[in-house]
Amino acid sequence: MAFLALSLGAACVLGAQAQPAVASGPLPGPVTPPAHTPGPGTPTTAHLRISEGQVGEVGPGGTLIYPSVTSCLTVTVRLRDGGKVGAHASLFQVPGEYRSDRILAAVKQRIGARGVRVVKVRGAVGAWHPSYFAKAIESYAEGEQIPVPTEPDPGGLARVVADALGEPRVKVTVEDLPDGDQTVD
């Protein structure tokens, strides 16, 4: 399984694009979206392509498209109002996008105070150690031991995602999916 799969192409479908990320700043702390990013509850399109390291949102009836999910995980939050907030977490940071240890904070900020029905985590479950959401692979110093998964840990991933989003563990499901594009209607 390839651990480095960066998609550097443009992210657009029907003129829609996930919002640019703010990848710098001190940890821990709030993740601040760019000034032109719509706030919670203001999805910009019915179809949205979310590439690696990006977070985006569609309203009720909208579709999220996650391209080329190989070594990545996707996090889709289904809101009570029918909308969806999605994130495409990459093992390694794509320049200018969110690192794995900042992407869940961006999702939480995007959700705001809105109610969450369920959270679905899908992708290369066996490639991810749950700690990658707390400390990104590229943040380890030279010679520092990077945790490597010895087997898939869907329970650990679900627990970390639930905690980061402030949701009960029972709302989070984890599914290992083969390589390819993911579409969530």
Side-chain angles (χ1 to χ4, degrees):
M1 176 180 305
F3 281 98
L4 177 59
L6 301 176
S7 69
L8 300 175
C12 61
V13 167
L14 301 175
Q17 185 168 338
Q19 310 315 327
V22 174
S24 61
L27 279 177
V31 176
T32 306
H36 65 279
T37 301
T42 56
T44 58
T45 183
H47 302 284
L48 184 65
R49 183 178 181 97
I50 302 178
S51 294
E52 293 179 44
Q54 295 181 340
V55 172
E57 177 177 1
V58 293
T63 301
L64 296 176
I65 302 154
Y66 302 101
S68 305
V69 179
T70 54
S71 61
C72 304
L73 288 179
T74 64
V75 178
T76 303
V77 178
R78 291 184 179 268
L79 301 170
R80 285 195 193 124
D81 69 4
K84 296 174 213 67
V85 174
H88 190 151
S90 179
L91 279 175
F92 298 94
Q93 182 181 10
V94 174
E97 306 296 355
Y98 288 108
R99 291 184 347 186
S100 64
D101 58 358
R102 296 185 180 183
I103 202 160
L104 294 177
V107 171
K108 184 174 174 71
Q109 182 175 7
R110 188 70 183 221
I111 294 167
R114 294 177 291 167
V116 171
R117 284 190 7 228
V118 296
V119 180
K120 296 187 179 212
V121 179
R122 302 187 323 177
V125 173
W128 280 74
H129 192 279
S131 68
Y132 297 164
F133 282 120
K135 186 172 183 178
I137 290 173
E138 57 271 291
S139 66
Y140 285 85
E142 187 175 330
E144 195 175 1
Q145 183 68 35
I146 299 171
V148 177
T150 56
E151 61 184 36
D153 186 3
L157 290 169
R159 186 175 47 260
V160 168
V161 171
D163 289 349
L165 299 181
E167 295 296 329
R169 165 61 184 93
V170 297
K171 286 188 179 183
V172 181
T173 60
V174 177
E175 181 182 1
D176 190 31
L177 287 180
D179 294 346
D181 294 350
Q182 293 180 16
T183 301
V184 180
D185 291 317

